[in-house]
Amino acid sequence: MPRSSADEIVLSYNDAVLRKSDLGILNGAYYLNDRIIEFYFSYLSSLHPSEHILLVPPSIAFWIMNCPDISSLTDFLQPLNLPSKKLIIFPVNNNDDVAVAEGGSHWSLLAFEKTANVFVHHDSYGGINKNHAKRLYKTIVPYTNVPGTRYIECDCSPQQVTGYDCGLYVLAIAKEICGWFDSDLPKNEDSWFARVVMRVKPEVVSGFRVEILELITSLRGTN
């Protein structure tokens, strides 16, 4: 059976693949899917090439949080080499059903920073994903091999003004955290939070769809 035009691949970037339907999501007022978030995380990894930074794809973050056999995670996580990372960023989705691909209705972000020894949850919609983020934190923290790690719900996280931009906030916040990590700013949550609050404004996020579309266009031109 022939593929529909919506399934047409428009860009392969590292391990991420974008299809024509993904461009439609970015062109409208729609909830971001896994592929777009994976692509932008992959782009940030290229923009900040460091063995100490890890941006975890949505599918891997989802499986860590929902894996029915926790004992199997040791082998699953070994290639990620988590103890060597100083900054790890996870997308958090509130889908609880491992049988449903790309389910859920909200994205948020969980970040681990090793110097401050802290996991921080950024939620752009009043913390509705906090239980999912806490579950991910409790699952992953033993594999970082860092004792005494703290968990923080960031109460100053920028808040979305629409019902569909949560994924854009995840990408915008991830961008600023990576920029903060590569800067000369002190490595503590205060300077991190200040940068996110200052730079991730609704008017910035509202233009982020166009920015990502322009990025895709430029990368297609170099392929």
Side-chain angles (χ1 to χ4, degrees), residues 7 23 31 41 46 70 84 98 103 111 114 118 154 190 210:
D7 288 331
L23 302 185
Y31 174 87
F41 271 26
S46 298
I70 297 299
S84 72
V98 296
K114 192 171 187 177
V118 63
C154 182
D190 290 339
V210 173

Side-chain angles (χ1 to χ4, degrees), residues 60-96:
I60 293 178
F62 175 76
W63 185 249
I64 294 169
M65 187 169 62
N66 294 283
C67 180
D69 180 11
I70 297 299
S71 64
S72 69
L73 281 178
T74 300
D75 291 338
F76 179 77
L77 293 174
Q78 187 174 6
L80 300 182
N81 197 14
L82 297 179
S84 72
K85 308 304 178 184
K86 295 182 180 179
L87 176 66
I88 310 173
I89 297 178
F90 303 87
V92 181
N93 191 278
N94 63 353
N95 179 19
D96 292 317

Side-chain angles (χ1 to χ4, degrees), residues 6-52:
D7 288 331
E8 177 188 343
I9 294 175
V10 295
L11 178 67
S12 294
Y13 184 81
N14 296 332
D15 292 330
V17 174
L18 290 176
R19 299 185 182 276
K20 190 173 181 180
S21 57
D22 301 320
L23 302 185
I25 289 173
L26 288 166
N27 271 308
Y30 302 110
Y31 174 87
L32 297 195
N33 62 12
D34 292 38
R35 287 197 299 268
I36 295 171
I37 291 177
E38 181 177 2
F39 157 72
Y40 196 75
F41 271 26
S42 184
Y43 170 72
L44 286 178
S45 296
S46 298
L47 203 61
H48 301 276
S50 169
E51 62 183 1
H52 300 302

